[in-house]
Amino acid sequence: MQDILRVRDVSKTFISGSRELTVLSEVNFTIKEGGIVAIVGPSGSGKTTLLGLCAGLDRPTTGEIFIFDQKISHLDEDEKAAVRNQYVGFIFQNFQLIPTLTALENVMVPLELQGNSKIARSRSRELLDRVGLGDRMTHYPSQLSGGEQQRVSIARAFSNTPRLLFADEPTGNLDGDTGDNIENLLFELNQEQGTTLVIVTHDLELAQQTNRIIRLKSGKIISDQLTLVHGSSSIHH
Ligand SMILES: Nc1ncnc2c1ncn2[C@@H]1O[C@H](COP(=O)(O)OP(=O)(O)O)[C@@H](O)[C@H]1O
Ligand SMILES: [Mg+2]
């Protein structure tokens, strides 16, 4: 299996006024295509920042990040958008749905950006059905509960059939049963489409079902271990 994500000596420092805040330092890991990796750690340990850097939503202060052989950390905005469109899905911790679009239209956006307008509507309907929102397609985000918005964002993240999916606390706003359904959906898509999953989670039960757990603390990796679940993911330092 190919390396789908390589993170090399990455650090991130935010500057606010005269103060510097180092949120990530010397982070290194590599993920092979097809695996399921959990990133866990206390609130404020840098998980969301790390995911954003990996998806090219922000730039590291030092270090490099590759998606396949594309140096996502150093491409220009247009090039990054093209890589994201081709390979990446992202489930945001705060959903980031477009408020002026219905649930269905939100899910259609990545497909339309990909130039797949023809199948956009039917595929998006299918995905919304799958996350249990078949009867909410024409609702706007403000008309949906937090958990429902989260499910729309999950359907959207899958719509362009990404090879690499980043999920930031994907079950964080869901009750037990809905959370379990979403977990199953993520795992099914990994099985069916070979989608590599990188899941930030507080849920240790979910983390234990992945192939590998990376623990962050104060912006550093404090452990990186395979779980007992067999899978294609393996560690390369
Ligand atoms: N844009 C930013 N500017 C300044 N500080 C930030 C910014 N984004 C995140 N931080 C800080 O970085 C730290 C890590 O945040 P985050 O990555 O969201 O952690 P986690 O997802 O693990 O809870 C926090 O202390 C947060 O306040
Ligand atoms: Mg976070």
Side-chain angles (χ1 to χ4, degrees):
M1 283 287 180
Q2 284 190 71
D3 293 343
I4 195 166
L5 179 67
R6 279 187 290 145
V7 175
R8 286 285 164 269
D9 298 324
V10 161
S11 66
K12 179 70 180 174
T13 301
F14 290 111
I15 297 168
S16 58
S18 58
R19 298 188 55 188
E20 283 193 1
L21 181 66
T22 296
V23 170
L24 293 170
S25 53
E26 297 297 307
V27 173
N28 282 286
F29 61 90
T30 298
I31 293 176
K32 294 237 172 228
E33 195 169 16
I36 308 179
V37 178
I39 297 178
V40 303
S43 173
S45 56
K47 305 181 298 295
T48 294
T49 304
L50 178 60
L51 232 49
L53 295 177
C54 290
L57 303 172
D58 196 2
R59 189 182 275 256
T61 308
T62 64
E64 297 173 339
I65 299 173
F66 296 84
I67 292 178
F68 292 118
D69 58 355
Q70 302 278 336
K71 203 198 265 188
I72 187 87
S73 53
H74 290 75
L75 298 177
D76 70 32
E77 289 303 325
D78 287 348
E79 292 167 330
K80 283 198 282 196
V83 173
R84 276 200 296 271
N85 233 292
Q86 193 181 357
Y87 298 121
V88 179
F90 204 104
I91 302 170
F92 293 93
Q93 193 166 13
N94 53 2
F95 324 131
Q96 303 226 6
L97 299 177
I98 300 172
T100 54
L101 300 181
T102 64
L104 182 65
E105 290 162 350
N106 265 285
V107 178
M108 288 167 64
V109 167
L111 286 161
E112 289 183 329
L113 288 173
Q114 249 185 2
N116 274 324
S117 299
K118 273 194 178 155
I119 59 151
R121 191 166 292 270
S122 57
R123 175 155 171 80
S124 300
R125 281 181 193 282
E126 195 184 300
L127 280 162
L128 282 170
D129 259 334
R130 244 179 126 167
V131 296
L133 292 177
D135 54 355
R136 296 283 191 282
M137 307 230 190
T138 58
H139 284 55
Y140 289 90
S142 63
Q143 300 170 325
L144 296 168
S145 72
E148 288 168 342
Q149 291 180 49
Q150 189 153 34
R151 285 184 276 158
V152 175
S153 85
I154 290 166
R156 179 181 59 183
F158 275 110
S159 68
N160 62 340
T161 332
R163 285 168 75 174
L164 177 58
L165 181 85
F166 297 103
D168 197 354
E169 311 260 8
T171 57
N173 293 279
L174 305 176
D175 57 39
D177 281 350
T178 319
D180 288 349
N181 285 338
I182 294 301
E183 277 173 40
N184 291 336
L185 180 69
L186 291 173
F187 290 133
E188 270 167 40
L189 287 158
N190 165 265
Q191 285 293 307
E192 280 169 24
Q193 300 176 1
T195 309
T196 304
L197 304 177
V198 181
I199 308 174
V200 164
T201 185
H202 275 314
D203 181 347
L204 286 181
E205 221 171 288
L206 168 57
Q208 294 296 348
Q209 293 176 58
T210 69
N211 308 140
R212 172 178 169 191
I213 303 178
I214 296 175
R215 281 174 211 282
L216 274 185
K217 192 175 176 191
S218 306
K220 293 196 167 123
I221 293 182
I222 54 165
S223 76
D224 184 345
Q225 292 174 313
L226 297 180
T227 65
L228 297 173
V229 179
H230 293 290
S232 42
S233 137
S234 62
I235 298 179
H236 286 237
H237 289 288

